[in-house]
Amino acid sequence: YVFDLVNEKDFLNGGKPRVIQRGPFVYKEQRTKTDIRLYPNGTISYRELRNYTFDRTKSSDDETLRINTINVVYMTLVNYLQMINIPSSIRTIIGLVLSSIEKPIMQRTVKEYLWGYEDPILNILKKQLPQLVSNDQVSVFASVVNEAQYETILINNGVGFDINHTERIDNVGKIERFNFSTNLSIWSNKYANMINGTDSTIWHPDARKDELIYTFMNDICRSVYLKFNQTRQNSFDISTYQYTLPNDVFANSSDNEGFCLNSSTNDKIQQLKCLPNGLFSLSSCIHLSGSTFAIPLPIIASNPHFLAADRSVQDAIIGLMPD
């Protein structure tokens, strides 16, 4: 699903954004593990390729449907200009381009929005600032998918016993290293940088209702946990456990303080120390594709329709239904 901004003029004049949900747009996902290597210490490394094929028969509209949405590049560069230590010449050129070429709202097809388009701002900056911009293609989703193919994951194979003579099956699929490191280095404390759980395609057998199921989501550069929700019957009439993401995963709490962005982070962006409940900043995780420097994208993630977010967040946009 995507959101279509239907009151652009009013929004740019300070009004609340009004959106209409469009979709569904259904894609068949195929994940292929490649460069698989087995090691004597009971671990396996691999990289993962993802491929998405549009399924028109299950979608409400074609990918050519045009929507109004936030101009990601425009807002990214506006945010970039707030950073310190930017040479005055670069600041001047970017400022002139932003004021004369584009605006905060753009109209794109769903296919362009998700999978990429030639951005007019980056096209100009690629010529005027080649030391900063090397590519004028930009996408919301494809850049994350493409980057994933270069990430190396090392997991526990769950076979045999460990040095304490304990069966390793409970650790099957557990990520031991991500890109050759046992932890991340982009967040502000040790807890936030921990790599916990599996890649979400496998978990240990005999899961219990009272345990937390951890998974590392490399798309958002953090680990999350799932809690037991209910017992369900699958199509073969077999009882299965359903685990869901609890509301407190993205809560504004002491457990999540390491994910808050402030002036002490590496990118030196001046932001609120912590976002309201239900919101999670991806600025430290996702960067503008095509830039020679790591220019952070000012993107904030949430549950669909701001589910479980603060009421002030839900009320800030007209057209959402967080149920």
Side-chain angles (χ1 to χ4, degrees), residues 64-307:
T64 56
L65 178 72
R66 300 186 72 85
I67 60 170
N68 289 322
T69 187
I70 295 295
N71 188 329
V72 177
V73 173
Y74 183 97
M75 299 307 298
T76 297
L77 292 176
V78 168
N79 190 66
Y80 176 66
L81 292 179
Q82 310 305 312
M83 298 173 65
I84 62 175
N85 298 327
I86 299 177
S88 58
S89 58
I90 292 180
R91 190 183 299 274
T92 299
I93 293 175
I94 293 178
L96 289 173
V97 172
L98 291 179
S99 63
S100 59
I101 303 299
E102 282 287 298
K103 55 184 180 179
I105 305 300
M106 65 178 182
Q107 186 177 88
R108 293 288 173 185
T109 66
V110 172
K111 183 177 182 179
E112 289 174 328
Y113 180 66
L114 293 177
W115 305 109
Y117 59 91
E118 181 182 295
D119 185 81
I121 297 178
L122 295 183
N123 183 265
I124 294 175
L125 294 180
K126 183 177 68 172
K127 301 171 184 176
Q128 298 191 14
L129 296 173
Q131 72 274 29
L132 182 67
V133 177
S134 60
N135 188 354
D136 56 14
Q137 297 295 310
V138 65
S139 68
V140 172
F141 187 60
S143 58
V144 176
V145 173
N146 293 335
E147 186 175 337
Q149 66 182 312
Y150 302 108
E151 297 170 340
T152 300
I153 298 177
L154 181 75
I155 64 171
N156 190 311
N157 68 9
V159 177
F161 298 83
D162 61 21
I163 58 176
N164 297 318
H165 306 290
T166 302
E167 283 191 302
R168 301 173 72 240
I169 188 62
D170 284 345
N171 290 320
V172 63
K174 180 181 177 182
I175 297 176
E176 303 286 348
R177 292 178 183 271
F178 176 72
N179 286 338
F180 311 103
S181 179
T182 57
N183 57 267
L184 303 178
S185 59
I186 64 174
W187 305 112
S188 61
N189 67 23
K190 181 179 179 180
Y191 176 79
N193 281 314
M194 292 176 67
I195 299 174
N196 297 320
T198 72
D199 68 354
S200 77
T201 63
I202 184 174
W203 282 287
H204 66 80
D206 299 322
R208 304 186 313 274
K209 294 181 179 180
D210 62 347
E211 72 173 308
L212 299 179
I213 302 295
Y214 282 89
T215 180
F216 175 69
M217 303 180 67
N218 51 327
D219 289 353
I220 63 173
C221 303
R222 66 166 290 180
S223 300
V224 299
Y225 55 86
L226 308 175
K227 286 184 177 180
F228 173 79
N229 182 47
Q230 62 179 323
T231 300
R232 305 182 67 176
Q233 302 296 121
N234 65 12
S235 57
F236 298 99
D237 201 32
I238 298 175
S239 295
T240 61
Y241 290 169
Q242 181 192 61
Y243 293 80
T244 57
L245 194 72
N247 294 340
D248 56 2
V249 167
F250 296 140
N252 183 345
S253 65
S254 57
D255 287 342
N256 285 327
E257 64 183 3
F259 300 110
C260 300
L261 297 183
N262 51 49
S263 58
S264 65
T265 56
N266 292 333
D267 50 31
K268 302 297 182 183
I269 297 178
Q270 301 294 326
Q271 295 190 11
L272 294 176
K273 289 186 177 181
C274 291
L275 296 174
N277 287 323
L279 302 182
F280 174 66
S281 176
L282 296 177
S283 294
S284 292
C285 176
I286 303 178
H287 301 90
L288 182 66
S289 59
S291 61
T292 55
F293 296 96
I295 300 178
L297 290 178
I299 292 179
I300 294 175
S302 73
N303 286 316
H305 290 257
F306 289 151
L307 180 66

